[in-house]
Amino acid sequence: MNDPLASWHADTRVLHDDDAFADGPDVVPPIHYSATFRARDAADFADMAGRPRHPAYYTRYGNPVHERVAAILAGLEGTETALLTGSGMGAISTAVLALVSAGDHVVAQTRHYMSTAKLLDEVLPRFGVETTLVEQSDAEALRDAIRPNTKLIMLETPANPTLVLTDLAAVAPMARARGITTVCDNTFASPLNQQPHALGIDVVVHSATKLLGGHHDLTAGAICCSHALAEPIWRMHTTLGSVLSPMDAWLLLRGLRTLAVRVARINASALELARWLQQQAQVERVHYPGLESHPQHALAQAQMKGGGPVIAFAIKGDYAVTSRFVAALELPKHAVSLGGVDSLIVHAAAMWAGTMNDAQMEAADIAPNFVRFSVGLEHPDDLKADLARALAAALRERG
Ligand SMILES: *Cc1c(COP(=O)(O)O)cnc(C)c1O
């Protein structure tokens, strides 16, 4: 659905890739707030009921607003099509469960979004699917983990908490040569910064709750892939039922209109702030793919157009100092999530304390003095001033 428009820039595509679906005088499309849709006649009903991914039969199967959002996302990711789900986890669970069966093996990363890790570690084994977790920065190790029954390679880059990257162009061909399907979670980058499909990845999944929606107001997910893969994934979707409401699909469509300008601004601010943080005496280390000091900076340059919203950094202090620093900030809100208009910050060790013990946190690189900062659209000078004040306040109280 995207090829004829391939010459447009992303800035234009987010506004016009869905023009073909306009059917009224509206400049802004209506919210098709309907769970079910009327047939014109018997033949039309037979078509609606029998055609997979019909956009106006029953909203769990599809919705006219979904169709517009999907056209834009498929265009941005360079895939034939896209499916929408009610959350990022809805997208990931649906795609994974559609692609594996009992007896299959999955290769995945040691670092994944926590709920993805649970799907791989806790849910799949209950259905007879085994997963091998591999250090993602080592493409050779990913290849060595492949077994004759490996069906799926699950990837995510950049990944929490230290923004480690996976070399997509190295992994994709070795999977393809063996007939293994690759899935990449592209949430932290967005298609503006990274296009996994162009590097050979089969299925690109998103938490559209983050950069794509961009305003911290909706929960949504997306699966971008070929028509051939969309078919079984859509069938699983109609069974699992992770449905995106027409209202949230419409909010997502509105968010997408500004995606290109938001991501450009967020990339620039985040890089500026990452460089600035690196120079602060109270900061121990900064992880950001756009920084020359990132251990995989060359890979970041090759595979990403921008570093995205998330900076992880450690401050020179213990858990208590880090807690005080986060509490002292006025601009970044103390909240999980990322990629929206508001800057958000979380104290990583506090975030994962309820679900991991100390040994697990150490294994996952989550130091007690570590924060995850999602840069929003505030002016970077104002963010710097706030960060500087909070760092000084947190460390002053230490004595
Ligand atoms: C948030 C997130 C998810 C899950 O998305 P939801 O919309 O919260 O279900 C998956 N992967 C990554 C990388 C995320 O950041």
Short mmCIF file of all heavy atoms in Angstrom, two decimals, residues 340-370:
data_model
loop_
_atom_site.label_atom_id
_atom_site.label_comp_id
_atom_site.label_asym_id
_atom_site.label_seq_id
_atom_site.Cartn_x
_atom_site.Cartn_y
_atom_site.Cartn_z
N GLY A 340 7.01 10.60 24.51
CA GLY A 340 5.91 11.55 24.36
C GLY A 340 6.38 12.99 24.45
O GLY A 340 7.58 13.28 24.56
N VAL A 341 5.42 13.89 24.41
CA VAL A 341 5.73 15.32 24.43
C VAL A 341 6.32 15.77 25.77
O VAL A 341 7.14 16.68 25.81
CB VAL A 341 4.49 16.19 24.09
CG1 VAL A 341 4.10 16.01 22.63
CG2 VAL A 341 3.31 15.86 24.99
N ASP A 342 5.93 15.13 26.87
CA ASP A 342 6.47 15.48 28.18
C ASP A 342 7.71 14.64 28.44
O ASP A 342 7.70 13.44 28.22
CB ASP A 342 5.50 15.10 29.32
CG ASP A 342 4.12 15.66 29.13
OD1 ASP A 342 3.31 15.02 28.43
OD2 ASP A 342 3.85 16.73 29.68
N SER A 343 8.75 15.26 29.00
CA SER A 343 9.89 14.48 29.47
C SER A 343 9.45 13.65 30.67
O SER A 343 8.71 14.14 31.52
CB SER A 343 11.03 15.40 29.89
OG SER A 343 11.58 16.04 28.77
N LEU A 344 9.93 12.40 30.71
CA LEU A 344 9.63 11.51 31.84
C LEU A 344 10.94 10.94 32.37
O LEU A 344 11.89 10.74 31.61
CB LEU A 344 8.74 10.34 31.40
CG LEU A 344 7.39 10.66 30.74
CD1 LEU A 344 6.66 9.36 30.39
CD2 LEU A 344 6.51 11.51 31.65
N ILE A 345 10.96 10.68 33.67
CA ILE A 345 12.17 10.08 34.24
C ILE A 345 11.78 9.01 35.24
O ILE A 345 10.76 9.14 35.92
CB ILE A 345 13.08 11.16 34.88
CG1 ILE A 345 14.49 10.61 35.11
CG2 ILE A 345 12.47 11.74 36.16
CD1 ILE A 345 15.57 11.69 35.21
N VAL A 346 12.56 7.92 35.27
CA VAL A 346 12.33 6.90 36.30
C VAL A 346 13.67 6.47 36.89
O VAL A 346 14.70 6.45 36.21
CB VAL A 346 11.60 5.63 35.79
CG1 VAL A 346 10.13 5.90 35.57
CG2 VAL A 346 12.25 5.06 34.55
N HIS A 347 13.62 6.15 38.17
CA HIS A 347 14.77 5.58 38.88
C HIS A 347 14.69 4.07 38.60
O HIS A 347 13.80 3.39 39.09
CB HIS A 347 14.61 5.91 40.37
CG HIS A 347 15.75 5.45 41.21
ND1 HIS A 347 15.73 5.56 42.57
CD2 HIS A 347 16.94 4.90 40.89
CE1 HIS A 347 16.87 5.08 43.06
NE2 HIS A 347 17.62 4.67 42.06
N ALA A 348 15.61 3.60 37.76
CA ALA A 348 15.49 2.24 37.23
C ALA A 348 15.41 1.19 38.34
O ALA A 348 14.57 0.27 38.28
CB ALA A 348 16.66 1.95 36.30
N ALA A 349 16.25 1.30 39.35
CA ALA A 349 16.27 0.27 40.40
C ALA A 349 14.94 0.26 41.16
O ALA A 349 14.46 -0.81 41.57
CB ALA A 349 17.43 0.52 41.36
N ALA A 350 14.32 1.43 41.31
CA ALA A 350 13.02 1.49 42.00
C ALA A 350 11.94 0.89 41.12
O ALA A 350 11.03 0.19 41.58
CB ALA A 350 12.68 2.93 42.35
N MET A 351 12.05 1.12 39.82
CA MET A 351 11.04 0.63 38.87
C MET A 351 10.99 -0.89 38.87
O MET A 351 9.94 -1.50 38.81
CB MET A 351 11.38 1.16 37.48
CG MET A 351 10.58 0.60 36.36
SD MET A 351 10.52 1.80 35.02
CE MET A 351 11.46 1.06 33.77
N TRP A 352 12.17 -1.52 38.91
CA TRP A 352 12.21 -2.98 38.77
C TRP A 352 12.31 -3.72 40.11
O TRP A 352 12.36 -4.94 40.14
CB TRP A 352 13.34 -3.38 37.81
CG TRP A 352 12.96 -3.15 36.38
CD1 TRP A 352 11.92 -3.75 35.71
CD2 TRP A 352 13.57 -2.26 35.43
NE1 TRP A 352 11.87 -3.28 34.41
CE2 TRP A 352 12.86 -2.38 34.21
CE3 TRP A 352 14.66 -1.39 35.48
CZ2 TRP A 352 13.19 -1.64 33.06
CZ3 TRP A 352 14.99 -0.66 34.35
CH2 TRP A 352 14.26 -0.78 33.15
N ALA A 353 12.34 -2.94 41.22
CA ALA A 353 12.54 -3.58 42.53
C ALA A 353 11.45 -4.61 42.84
O ALA A 353 11.72 -5.64 43.44
CB ALA A 353 12.60 -2.52 43.63
N GLY A 354 10.23 -4.33 42.43
CA GLY A 354 9.13 -5.23 42.74
C GLY A 354 9.17 -6.54 41.97
O GLY A 354 8.53 -7.52 42.37
N THR A 355 9.91 -6.56 40.85
CA THR A 355 9.86 -7.75 39.99
C THR A 355 11.20 -8.48 39.90
O THR A 355 11.25 -9.57 39.37
CB THR A 355 9.42 -7.35 38.57
OG1 THR A 355 10.11 -6.15 38.21
CG2 THR A 355 7.93 -7.11 38.50
N MET A 356 12.29 -7.85 40.39
CA MET A 356 13.59 -8.52 40.29
C MET A 356 14.27 -8.45 41.65
O MET A 356 14.14 -7.47 42.38
CB MET A 356 14.51 -7.76 39.32
CG MET A 356 14.15 -7.86 37.87
SD MET A 356 15.50 -7.10 36.91
CE MET A 356 14.64 -6.74 35.40
N ASN A 357 15.06 -9.49 41.97
CA ASN A 357 15.89 -9.41 43.17
C ASN A 357 17.22 -8.75 42.81
O ASN A 357 17.47 -8.44 41.64
CB ASN A 357 16.07 -10.80 43.80
CG ASN A 357 16.74 -11.78 42.85
OD1 ASN A 357 17.62 -11.39 42.08
ND2 ASN A 357 16.31 -13.04 42.89
N ASP A 358 18.09 -8.52 43.83
CA ASP A 358 19.33 -7.77 43.60
C ASP A 358 20.21 -8.45 42.54
O ASP A 358 20.80 -7.78 41.69
CB ASP A 358 20.11 -7.60 44.90
CG ASP A 358 19.42 -6.60 45.84
OD1 ASP A 358 18.45 -5.95 45.39
OD2 ASP A 358 19.86 -6.47 46.99
N ALA A 359 20.28 -9.78 42.60
CA ALA A 359 21.15 -10.51 41.66
C ALA A 359 20.63 -10.36 40.23
O ALA A 359 21.40 -10.13 39.29
CB ALA A 359 21.20 -11.99 42.05
N GLN A 360 19.30 -10.42 40.08
CA GLN A 360 18.72 -10.27 38.73
C GLN A 360 18.97 -8.86 38.21
O GLN A 360 19.26 -8.66 37.03
CB GLN A 360 17.21 -10.53 38.78
CG GLN A 360 16.86 -12.00 38.88
CD GLN A 360 15.37 -12.22 39.15
OE1 GLN A 360 14.76 -11.50 39.94
NE2 GLN A 360 14.80 -13.22 38.52
N MET A 361 18.87 -7.87 39.12
CA MET A 361 19.10 -6.49 38.69
C MET A 361 20.54 -6.29 38.26
O MET A 361 20.81 -5.63 37.27
CB MET A 361 18.76 -5.52 39.82
CG MET A 361 17.27 -5.32 39.90
SD MET A 361 16.87 -3.67 40.39
CE MET A 361 15.94 -4.03 41.82
N GLU A 362 21.46 -6.90 39.01
CA GLU A 362 22.87 -6.76 38.64
C GLU A 362 23.11 -7.42 37.29
O GLU A 362 23.78 -6.84 36.43
CB GLU A 362 23.74 -7.38 39.73
CG GLU A 362 25.09 -6.69 39.82
CD GLU A 362 25.99 -7.35 40.83
OE1 GLU A 362 25.60 -7.40 42.02
OE2 GLU A 362 27.07 -7.83 40.42
N ALA A 363 22.52 -8.60 37.10
CA ALA A 363 22.69 -9.30 35.82
C ALA A 363 22.12 -8.48 34.67
O ALA A 363 22.63 -8.51 33.55
CB ALA A 363 22.01 -10.67 35.89
N ALA A 364 21.08 -7.71 34.95
CA ALA A 364 20.43 -6.91 33.90
C ALA A 364 21.04 -5.51 33.79
O ALA A 364 20.48 -4.64 33.11
CB ALA A 364 18.93 -6.83 34.16
N ASP A 365 22.16 -5.27 34.47
CA ASP A 365 22.86 -3.97 34.41
C ASP A 365 22.08 -2.83 35.06
O ASP A 365 22.28 -1.67 34.70
CB ASP A 365 23.08 -3.50 32.95
CG ASP A 365 24.17 -4.27 32.25
OD1 ASP A 365 24.98 -4.88 32.96
OD2 ASP A 365 24.19 -4.24 31.00
N ILE A 366 21.17 -3.14 35.97
CA ILE A 366 20.39 -2.07 36.58
C ILE A 366 21.07 -1.67 37.89
O ILE A 366 20.86 -2.29 38.93
CB ILE A 366 18.92 -2.50 36.81
CG1 ILE A 366 18.31 -2.92 35.48
CG2 ILE A 366 18.12 -1.35 37.43
CD1 ILE A 366 17.03 -3.71 35.62
N ALA A 367 21.90 -0.66 37.81
CA ALA A 367 22.62 -0.19 38.99
C ALA A 367 21.69 0.68 39.84
O ALA A 367 20.76 1.28 39.32
CB ALA A 367 23.85 0.61 38.54
N PRO A 368 21.98 0.75 41.17
CA PRO A 368 21.10 1.55 42.05
C PRO A 368 21.12 3.05 41.75
O PRO A 368 20.19 3.76 42.13
CB PRO A 368 21.66 1.29 43.46
CG PRO A 368 22.87 0.46 43.31
CD PRO A 368 23.03 0.02 41.89
N ASN A 369 22.15 3.50 41.03
CA ASN A 369 22.28 4.95 40.76
C ASN A 369 21.90 5.31 39.32
O ASN A 369 22.36 6.30 38.77
CB ASN A 369 23.73 5.38 41.03
CG ASN A 369 24.74 4.62 40.17
OD1 ASN A 369 24.41 3.58 39.61
ND2 ASN A 369 25.95 5.13 40.08
N PHE A 370 21.07 4.48 38.72
CA PHE A 370 20.77 4.55 37.30
C PHE A 370 19.39 5.16 37.07
O PHE A 370 18.44 4.77 37.72
CB PHE A 370 20.77 3.10 36.82
CG PHE A 370 21.18 2.93 35.42
CD1 PHE A 370 22.40 3.39 34.97
CD2 PHE A 370 20.33 2.29 34.53
CE1 PHE A 370 22.77 3.21 33.67
CE2 PHE A 370 20.70 2.10 33.22
CZ PHE A 370 21.93 2.57 32.79
#
